[in-house]
Amino acid sequence: MLDKLFDGKKIIHKALDASWKRNEAIAQNIANVDTPGYKRKSVSFEDELRKAMDSKDFKKSDVDQIEIKVVEENKNLSMRLDGNNVDIEAEMAELAKNTIKYNALVQMAGFDKLKMVIKEGK
């Protein structure tokens, strides 16, 4: 699975897009922490990517077909009386985790370019 990941520039770029979209969703959640009735949003991507990559007939071109979904979580559940289900501490932890993931993906994208330069130099 890692070979497929490091081989696929498209996969890294799609994962970067998902991480960026997740950052936007987290920022929305944080901004609406005091909005009555607001429901937390999250991004669904990694599970779909994993399923696709585990498939025997997976091709890098299939990555374009994987949708980055923003979903509303726990529509019927609320942590508070006002109907809002955002936990600011959890959101801040998710923001930190996503920032680390995004930075790692940026580095991987850079290493991908470096590998291409090294191959062309031979």
Side-chain angles (χ1 to χ4, degrees):
M1 186 171 148
L2 283 177
D3 292 340
K4 290 180 185 178
L5 183 64
F6 286 116
D7 263 353
K9 182 169 67 169
K10 281 186 173 187
I11 295 171
I12 293 171
H13 288 224
K14 190 76 168 191
L16 276 166
D17 289 344
S19 186
W20 185 266
K21 192 167 255 189
R22 181 173 290 111
N23 200 61
E24 290 176 343
I26 294 168
Q28 264 190 320
N29 294 340
I30 291 170
N32 287 289
V33 70
D34 291 324
T35 304
Y38 179 82
K39 300 299 180 193
R40 180 182 187 279
K41 308 234 180 331
S42 66
V43 173
S44 168
F45 171 70
E46 285 79 1
D47 290 337
E48 297 299 319
L49 176 63
R50 191 172 294 113
K51 286 178 199 172
M53 290 178 73
D54 286 343
S55 164
K56 290 180 186 175
D57 55 338
F58 175 77
K59 297 179 211 110
K60 287 181 235 172
S61 60
D62 295 341
V63 172
D64 293 332
Q65 308 303 318
I66 300 172
E67 189 177 350
I68 302 169
K69 299 177 186 175
V70 177
V71 294
E72 194 172 275
E73 290 204 355
N74 302 320
K75 292 180 185 177
N76 298 324
L77 299 177
S78 296
M79 293 174 44
R80 305 183 330 211
L81 292 175
D82 67 358
N84 187 312
N85 67 350
V86 176
D87 176 1
I88 191 67
E89 287 85 14
E91 294 302 320
M92 296 305 288
E94 282 296 315
L95 182 61
K97 179 180 163 185
N98 192 59
T99 300
I100 292 167
K101 185 184 293 185
Y102 183 82
N103 289 334
L105 288 166
V106 166
Q107 286 182 350
M108 287 172 67
F111 287 141
D112 192 49
K113 290 177 186 173
L114 181 62
K115 284 194 317 188
M116 187 170 44
V117 169
I118 291 170
K119 284 181 183 178
E120 289 177 8
K122 288 185 177 181

